[in-house]
Amino acid sequence: MTLKYTKDHEWVSVDGDNATVGITQHAQDALGDVVFVDLPQVGNDYAQGEVAGVVESVKAAADVYMPLAGEVVEVNEALRADPSLANSDPMGAGWFFKVKLAEPSQLDGLMDATSYEKFSAAA
């Protein structure tokens, strides 16, 4: 399994040609208490960088971008029912959606954990 990060503070856990996507600890810290998530529809295809959802907190709303091109195959209904999962466990139970990758080579353009830590520390 490979874990990568985007400059928009999404994490991507890749297993074969499938990926799970969520927001990073840094993103949830910046947002504060998450009160609503708008998740993509299963079956929709997205290009890399396209807005796939929205996360709203008591402080702000932020777009969730598709880190890799692909088709949404599952959304986290538990997160829709309890948006606070994005705060309490953003890298686990607070995942947003799963994608069947269209272009796995796009992974090469994402950051590893060390690069992301440096990037988010400078943000």
Side-chain angles (χ1 to χ4, degrees):
M1 193 155 33
T2 303
L3 188 61
K4 295 284 191 162
Y5 300 86
T6 72
K7 291 183 178 180
D8 297 309
H9 306 287
E10 289 95 17
W11 58 265
V12 183
S13 176
V14 180
D15 188 9
D17 63 350
N18 292 302
T20 303
V21 178
I23 62 171
T24 64
Q25 184 72 42
H26 178 84
Q28 79 84 27
D29 286 344
L31 284 167
D33 292 335
V34 174
V35 295
F36 175 77
V37 292
D38 180 24
L39 300 171
Q41 186 170 342
V42 172
N44 282 5
D45 286 310
Y46 290 88
Q48 184 178 33
E50 195 173 355
V51 174
V54 176
V55 59
E56 294 181 12
S57 73
V58 294
K59 291 184 192 177
D63 290 331
V64 176
Y65 297 94
M66 184 59 69
L68 302 160
E71 177 189 351
V72 175
V73 294
E74 185 179 348
V75 297
N76 187 350
E77 293 297 342
L79 182 65
R80 194 186 314 261
D82 182 7
S84 70
L85 289 172
N87 293 114
S88 61
D89 192 11
M91 301 289 289
W95 61 275
F96 278 55
F97 51 87
K98 296 185 180 186
V99 180
K100 181 172 176 50
L101 301 178
E103 298 178 48
S105 63
Q106 291 176 334
L107 270 172
D108 297 338
L110 301 182
M111 293 178 274
D112 63 14
T114 303
S115 299
Y116 179 72
E117 285 176 26
K118 290 178 184 173
F119 171 79
S120 59

